């Protein structure tokens, strides 16, 4: 839909309508209620967990290096239950105006292209020849004009390039942080209205787990300016979906379905570090900037499609092809790039917090196993806005040696126990062998 837009990255199969509050999206996984039961039943034999998350907090906190006395603590994370909407007389932020006007812009491009086509068809043959002759005589003026437009467009692109914090990747950034503050507040208000009856209290043990993990990640990465400038606000929602996301203003939302899906505190720390990385890296503003830039180009192409196609039906088909090409050649690959970058930075955040970063790979292997058990159909990665679970686990495996060096440089204690990746692999082999033996026994009995 022309009016749909997603403010969170990552999430980014999980779009929701901006205008319609009743439609929303999730960031990383599908809304699978059965996953909780499967993970719960497999947790003891399969997934290397001997303690519930609440009981692991004391052990988890003991892994952190000793902080210097002058270090500013970041454990005082607050939760906000009341929210205020913007004044009705306050000007709307630039991204919001762009989202509202976006359908009107496309409608204008369609009307303009269709009008050009009708005007050309209505011209007598002699006037068409005169027009073509005039175009041939002034072809160099037309070429110079088009080249000037292209040069201005290229200049605009390169003058709005900035370096991504931490990674140093060059990116287009049209909308600044100030533009997204009001937009993030509106997004926060909508989520609070959506989940006002599902919020866990601060005394709930699950809320305390999330609070301690976020606080520990924040405190351990205070040397990064982009992390220290955020005030993280925790919201734990009673929802079965395996999901968590962080708004650009530091509002953290975690679903209880995610807490049921992770096997230990280390997996939860990596997932929340990944979501924090999206906010710290400013992926929401970056994504909006790229979409804005591509939409401007698509308006020109859309006008040409409706002007050149001889019939409206062909123009509709051409517009659909143009939309799908943009989606699969630019939008979805770019989303996967942002997800991979958030995985890398989130793993670094977790390593500095003395988390067992090896557990990050196991989490995505567990998600892959759940989908296999449920018989879910696997789509090719190029059709998704997120990397596949298998490719994600392999990518993290390549990043773990560097993360372990970061962990060691922070004077963290030695890693506890054996490698969870190895234990998961051995458990999977044992389950497969047991399954084959059971099938053979059933066949013999039959």
């Amino acid at each position: 839909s022309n009016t749909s837009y997603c403010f969170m990255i990552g999430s980014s199969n999980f779009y929701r309508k901006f205008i319609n509050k009743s439609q929303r999206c999730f960031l990383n996984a599908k809304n699978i209620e059965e996953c909780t039961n499967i993970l719960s039943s497999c947790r003891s034999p399969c997934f290397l967990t001997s303690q519930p998350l609440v009981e692991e907090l004391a052990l988890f906190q003991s892994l952190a290096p000793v902080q210097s006395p002058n270090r500013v603590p970041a454990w005082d994370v607050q939760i906000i239950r009341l929210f205020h909407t913007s004044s009705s007389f306050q000007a709307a932020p630039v991204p919001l105006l762009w989202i509202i006007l976006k359908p009107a812009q496309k409608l204008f491009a369609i009307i303009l292209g269709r009008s050009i086509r009708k005007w050309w068809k209505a011209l007598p043959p002699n006037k068409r020849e005169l027009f073509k002759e005039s175009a041939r005589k002034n072809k160099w003026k037309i070429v110079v004009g088009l080249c000037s437009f292209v040069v201005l467009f290229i200049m605009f692109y390169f003058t709005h390039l900035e370096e991504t914090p931490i990674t140093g990747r060059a990116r287009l950034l049209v909308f600044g942080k100030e533009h997204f503050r009001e937009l993030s507040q509106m997004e926060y208000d909508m989520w609070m209205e959506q989940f006002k009856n599902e919020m866990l209290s601060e005394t709930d043990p699950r809320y305390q787990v999330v609070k301690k993990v976020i606080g520990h990640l924040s405190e351990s990465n205070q040397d990064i300016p982009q992390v220290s400038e955020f005030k993280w606000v925790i919201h734990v929602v009673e929802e079965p979906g395996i999901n968590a996301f962080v708004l650009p203003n530091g509002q953290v939302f975690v679903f209880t379905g995610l807490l049921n899906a992770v096997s230990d505190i280390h997996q939860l720390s990596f997932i929340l570090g990944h979501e924090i990385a999206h906010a710290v890296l400013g992926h929401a503003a970056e994504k909006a900037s790229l979409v804005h830039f591509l939409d401007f180009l698509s308006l020109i192409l859309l006008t040409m499609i409706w002007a050149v196609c001889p019939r409206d039906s062909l123009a509709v088909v051409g517009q659909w092809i143009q939309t799908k090409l943009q989606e699969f050649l630019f939008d979805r690959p770019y989303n996967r790039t942002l997800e991979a970058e958030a995985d890398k930075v989130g793993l670094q955040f977790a390593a500095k917090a003395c988390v067992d970063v090896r557990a990050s790979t196991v989490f995505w292997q567990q998600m892959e196993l759940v989908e296999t058990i449920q018989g879910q159909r696997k789509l090719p990665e190029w059709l998704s806005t997120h990397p596949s679970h298998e490719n994600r686990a392999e990518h993290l495996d390549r990043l773990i040696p560097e993360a372990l060096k970061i962990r060691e440089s922070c004077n963290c204690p030695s890693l506890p126990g054996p490698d969870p990746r190895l234990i998961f692999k051995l458990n999977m082999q044992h389950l497969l062998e047991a399954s084959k033996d059971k099938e053979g026994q059933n066949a013999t009995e039959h």
Side-chain angles (χ1 to χ4, degrees), residues 378-445:
K378 295 182 180 180
L379 295 176
E381 186 178 80
W382 62 273
L383 290 175
S384 174
T385 58
H386 286 61
S388 66
H389 299 330
E390 182 180 0
N391 290 342
R392 212 162 191 172
E394 293 177 357
H395 177 240
L396 287 168
D397 253 338
R398 294 192 295 269
L399 296 174
I400 283 176
E402 180 183 353
L404 291 176
K405 292 180 181 178
I406 295 174
R407 190 180 186 278
E408 185 179 355
S409 66
C410 294
N411 298 321
C412 294
S414 301
L415 290 171
D419 193 330
R421 295 172 294 179
L422 177 60
I423 292 184
F424 181 85
K425 183 178 179 179
L426 294 175
N427 283 329
M428 290 304 97
Q429 292 177 352
H430 176 73
L431 288 175
L432 289 174
E433 291 174 359
S435 177
K436 290 180 180 178
D437 292 342
K438 188 175 181 180
E439 290 177 359
Q441 183 179 359
N442 291 339
T444 303
E445 292 175 354

Side-chain angles (χ1 to χ4, degrees), residues 39-40 43-45 47-63 209 259-268 416-417:
L39 289 177
S40 298
R43 183 172 292 147
S44 297
F47 293 148
L48 185 63
T49 175
S50 58
Q51 297 171 304
L53 289 178
V54 178
E55 296 178 4
E56 287 188 2
L57 276 177
L59 175 62
F60 175 67
Q61 294 176 20
S62 67
L63 295 177
V209 169
L259 302 180
N260 294 329
V262 296
S263 296
D264 52 42
I265 203 73
H266 303 286
Q267 291 185 8
L268 179 62

Side-chain angles (χ1 to χ4, degrees), residues 150-316:
V150 172
V151 169
L152 289 175
F153 206 75
I154 294 174
M155 288 177 60
F156 174 84
Y157 178 83
F158 283 101
T159 53
H160 287 78
L161 286 180
E162 294 186 8
E163 280 193 358
T164 306
I166 304 175
T167 62
R169 174 178 54 85
R171 62 177 178 179
L172 177 69
L173 203 61
V174 178
F175 303 124
K177 294 180 180 178
E178 63 280 359
H179 291 147
F180 267 82
R181 286 172 184 167
E182 295 181 29
L183 200 58
S184 299
Q185 183 63 34
M186 295 175 64
E187 176 73 2
Y188 165 71
D189 293 346
M190 294 173 68
W191 281 111
M192 290 298 290
E193 179 68 20
Q194 181 76 26
F195 299 130
K196 61 183 178 182
N197 297 323
E198 287 82 28
M199 291 290 182
L200 299 186
S201 66
E202 296 183 51
T203 58
D204 193 288
R206 293 167 293 180
Y207 175 88
Q208 291 296 322
V209 169
V210 176
K211 176 181 178 180
K212 294 298 183 184
V213 170
I214 292 291
H216 186 53
L217 288 170
S218 176
E219 182 180 358
S220 303
N221 291 276
Q222 285 292 299
D223 58 313
I224 302 175
Q226 291 78 15
V227 174
S228 58
E229 70 183 18
F230 274 95
K231 183 179 181 182
W232 309 105
V233 184
I234 312 300
H235 309 277
V236 182
V237 186
E238 188 72 60
E239 284 282 335
I242 306 175
N243 187 32
F245 58 87
V246 179
L247 299 183
N249 58 357
Q251 304 286 342
V252 181
F253 287 81
V254 179
F255 289 6
T256 54
L258 175 65
L259 302 180
N260 294 329
V262 296
S263 296
D264 52 42
I265 203 73
H266 303 286
Q267 291 185 8
L268 179 62
S269 299
F270 162 71
I271 295 298
L272 295 182
H274 168 92
E275 301 304 333
I276 289 174
H278 277 308
V280 169
L281 298 172
H283 282 170
E286 178 180 351
K287 175 63 179 175
S289 299
L290 177 69
V291 172
H292 181 67
F293 185 79
L294 292 177
D295 276 350
F296 184 78
L297 290 175
S298 67
L299 289 176
I300 301 173
L301 184 59
L302 186 61
T303 303
M304 294 174 60
I305 290 173
W306 279 86
V308 172
C309 290
R311 293 191 301 273
D312 289 348
S313 58
L314 293 177
V316 170

Side-chain angles (χ1 to χ4, degrees), residues 103-113 303:
Q105 293 173 349
K106 289 193 174 183
L107 181 61
F108 174 77
I110 292 173
I111 294 174
L112 178 60
T303 303

